[in-house]
Amino acid sequence: MKRRHFIKNASLTGIGLVASSAAMGCKDPSEEKIEKTVMKQTKTPSPIAICTWRFTEANATAGKALKAGKAALDAAIAGVEVEEENLKNTTVGKGGAPDREGNVTLDACVMNSDGNCGSVVYVATITKVAALARTVMEETPHVMLAGAGAEEFAYSQGFQKETLLTEASKEAWHAWLKTSEYKPIINIENHDTIGMLTLDHNGDIAGACSSSGLSYKMKGRVGDSPIIGSGLFVDNEIGGAVATGMGEEIIKTVGSFLIVELMRNGLSPQAACEEAVRRIVSKNEAYTDFQVAYIAMNKAGETGAYCIHEGFTMMKYQNDHNEAIAVDFYHKK
Ligand code: GLY
């Protein structure tokens, strides 16, 4: 493994942290020392928001908040909330599809540029779960709260109790009950988890991730979206990554953490996302039946995205321009 494969980003400066080459999978640990990359911005890029899927308004909301001078996490949560409140979105927030017993349960997490994070899982009565995850981060000694405990904490912090199952979601669930066939659809209605990464005026990166999880999942099932390192990971020295798609596969490979670590070792965001997808498809022949997609951004504002199947889109907002980017994919038929 050659050093140039690790340090290839001209806009980033490498500062020598010496690591054992054995740890990097090289032949002789005594023979070769590898410099890991600690990324320092030579110039702060103008603010950027990226998010999963064609969540145009959510991404524009985050981008405009960044432009107005908001901090990275404020902007990410403002963006994600657009979809949490969008009743037509059946995979995020209020209006999300329920589990097979008719309960809508939401998962979310946030991660800050100082490495702090918060998470909530299995929340059945609160819409703005990314904001709730932030409140867990800021107001409790814990990282993760689940179920009734998360809900009670939310009420104590002023969050409103809400019914998350809408008439439309209830009707769809009743229709599903007629067959009760559980087979998640690739690119279901072309949207799934919203994962967002933001880079603010100070060059700081934060992220948020929010989902109602897989439609008609088993009662109690929790996906990747609230799991720090799986659905989301940010290291403000390096960059961040978020995931969408089949949560079980993302958790097995700790996908978002993997991508940030690959970027730390010099891979571009694009190459890191591709490697994370390769880890999944190389271990699971059934990849033809599920979608996983990653997006990533490094400290220099470079972005990347990759997925298993055609049909995934990444939104990117920078310099007043909100762009939908069709993402390259692994499974070319
Ligand atoms: N990626 C969302 C989930 O699997 O729950």
Side-chain angles (χ1 to χ4, degrees), residues 91 107 192-193 209-214 217 221-226 231 243-251 291:
T91 52
D107 300 330
D192 177 81
T193 305
C209 191
S210 185
S211 181
S212 55
L214 295 174
K217 59 196 174 187
R221 183 262 186 193
V222 170
D224 62 301
S225 303
T244 178
M246 185 62 79
E248 283 73 5
E249 301 303 319
I250 297 161
I251 291 170
Q291 174 69 299

Side-chain angles (χ1 to χ4, degrees), residues 196-213:
M196 184 169 284
L197 296 167
T198 46
L199 185 148
D200 67 19
H201 272 292
N202 294 324
D204 289 328
I205 297 177
C209 191
S210 185
S211 181
S212 55

Side-chain angles (χ1 to χ4, degrees), residues 98-157:
D99 64 20
R100 53 192 70 178
E101 296 183 24
N103 314 296
V104 179
T105 58
L106 306 182
D107 300 330
C109 71
V110 298
M111 198 155 183
N112 218 342
S113 53
D114 61 8
N116 210 354
C117 52
S119 163
V120 289
V121 309
Y122 207 66
V123 173
T125 60
I126 306 292
T127 298
K128 294 184 180 181
V129 276
L132 180 57
R134 181 193 196 150
T135 313
V136 171
M137 174 179 83
E138 291 177 346
E139 303 298 336
T140 80
H142 308 303
V143 165
M144 186 179 276
L145 289 182
E151 290 161 17
E152 282 163 30
F153 170 69
Y155 309 144
S156 77
Q157 296 293 312

